[in-house]
Amino acid sequence: MNPTCKKRMGAIRLETMKVVAQEEIAPAIFELVLEGEMVEAMRAGQFLHLRVPDDAHLLRRPISISSIDKVNKQCHLIYRIEGTGTAIFSTLSQGDTLDVMGPQGNGFDLSDLDEQNQVLLVGGGIGVPPLLEVAKELHARGVKVVTVLGFATKDAVILETELAQYGQVFVTTDDGSYGIKGNVSVVINDLDSPFDAVYSCGAPGMMKYINQNFYDHPRAYLSLESRMACGMGACYACVLKVPESETVSQRVCEDGPVFRTGTVVL
């Protein structure tokens, strides 16, 4: 496909995007910068479905969007090597191209927030990246942003400096090798200030905690990760149950990846 060629699939496009840069920012964690027309349609909290440039890998890989630069038509993706597909992504360099489907999913609702509001961001591990664009956009509106990040060890810490540009940041590590020892609950349980909105993304255990702790909050959101096949809601490979219903379900790729707390079973 020609780099300028794209096909609309509803709001989803297929586009060959150009690799602008790539860097390993932590052990086995890479930041990939892509350029293309698709960036103009991206919103915080959405993801891209990337085709592995190897015919032996049939399924695309979903990777969340970390930051968006619409002026230069560039976006940043941060991912961790989990298998051979993401290992192949890590070999890409400037000038290479990727077959990209997106932007996909429903992003975070950032509407109606301004300098009168205070927001809590909670991220864990490789779930931290999609919160960077959230912090950037809210800070630009004058919103007070408080971020709590959780990692396994010091070596896994990412985006602390970048997020600190937009507000106060607390970092926890499971082993106490950096920041506060423990998980994000150690910090959150001691925060007295009320938050007008909560945005989170991380491992299943963290998401269960946020879902329970902010279950009845009118504006608390979970960005969930799931294995996907088609990425367009047709295959139902990423289905979640809805509370108190045996028949209704939600698809992470199409109905998510962002859900309000209390609306899906974790």
Side-chain angles (χ1 to χ4, degrees):
M1 184 183 294
N2 185 284
T4 61
C5 180
K6 53 185 178 289
K7 176 183 178 182
R8 287 189 176 275
M9 304 169 63
I12 300 174
R13 306 180 183 186
L14 280 176
E15 181 177 345
T16 301
M17 300 186 74
K18 183 174 67 175
V19 175
V20 176
Q22 179 154 230
E23 177 185 5
E24 187 172 12
I25 61 173
I29 298 178
F30 290 78
E31 181 172 21
L32 176 65
V33 184
L34 297 178
E35 181 177 288
E37 300 296 326
M38 186 186 298
V39 177
E40 296 178 355
M42 293 179 184
R43 294 185 293 112
Q46 291 185 302
F47 68 94
L48 301 180
H49 222 192
L50 309 182
R51 181 183 181 278
V52 180
D54 183 318
D55 291 340
H57 296 77
L58 299 179
L59 297 180
R60 292 174 180 265
R61 302 306 195 264
I63 299 180
S64 59
I65 300 166
S66 177
S67 63
I68 304 166
D69 179 356
K70 295 190 177 183
V71 173
N72 294 305
K73 299 181 180 180
Q74 295 180 357
C75 66
H76 292 233
L77 311 178
I78 295 177
Y79 65 93
R80 180 172 55 210
I81 294 179
E82 301 282 2
T84 56
T86 44
I88 291 172
F89 289 149
S90 72
T91 66
L92 297 172
S93 59
Q94 183 179 15
D96 289 336
T97 59
L98 269 176
D99 183 329
V100 180
M101 181 186 294
Q104 293 186 239
N106 297 308
F108 288 111
D109 179 8
L110 307 182
S111 62
D112 304 322
L113 293 169
D114 56 30
E115 65 275 359
Q116 300 179 35
N117 301 119
Q118 179 172 237
V119 164
L120 174 65
L121 306 185
V122 186
I126 203 62
V128 172
L131 300 178
L132 182 58
E133 181 64 25
V134 175
K136 182 177 70 174
E137 293 187 19
L138 291 178
H139 179 265
R141 301 182 192 181
V143 178
K144 182 179 179 181
V145 178
V146 177
T147 302
V148 183
L149 305 177
F151 302 95
T153 67
K154 179 180 180 179
D155 289 342
V157 175
I158 57 172
L159 299 180
E160 177 190 8
T161 301
E162 291 82 352
L163 284 161
Q165 300 176 76
Y166 308 120
Q168 186 176 18
V169 177
F170 297 92
V171 177
T172 68
T173 51
D174 295 342
D175 62 1
S177 57
Y178 186 78
I180 301 165
K181 184 176 183 179
N183 57 42
V184 296
S185 65
V186 174
V187 175
I188 295 172
N189 292 342
D190 285 340
L191 293 176
D192 297 326
S193 301
F195 292 97
D196 299 292
V198 180
Y199 302 95
S200 64
C201 185
M206 177 185 291
M207 294 296 92
K208 287 182 180 179
Y209 163 75
I210 297 296
N211 192 48
Q212 293 170 356
N213 204 52
F214 297 97
Y215 195 88
D216 296 319
H217 193 290
R219 197 164 183 174
Y221 302 93
L222 313 163
S223 179
L224 304 178
E225 298 179 349
S226 176
R227 290 185 176 275
M228 299 177 187
C230 74
M232 299 172 59
C235 69
Y236 282 76
C238 57
V239 167
L240 294 172
K241 292 183 178 180
V242 172
E244 302 179 1
S245 175
E246 294 297 324
T247 58
V248 179
S249 60
Q250 296 282 285
R251 299 157 296 178
V252 175
C253 67
E254 185 74 7
D255 302 308
V258 176
F259 298 93
R260 281 186 54 185
T261 53
T263 64
V264 292
V265 177
L266 301 181

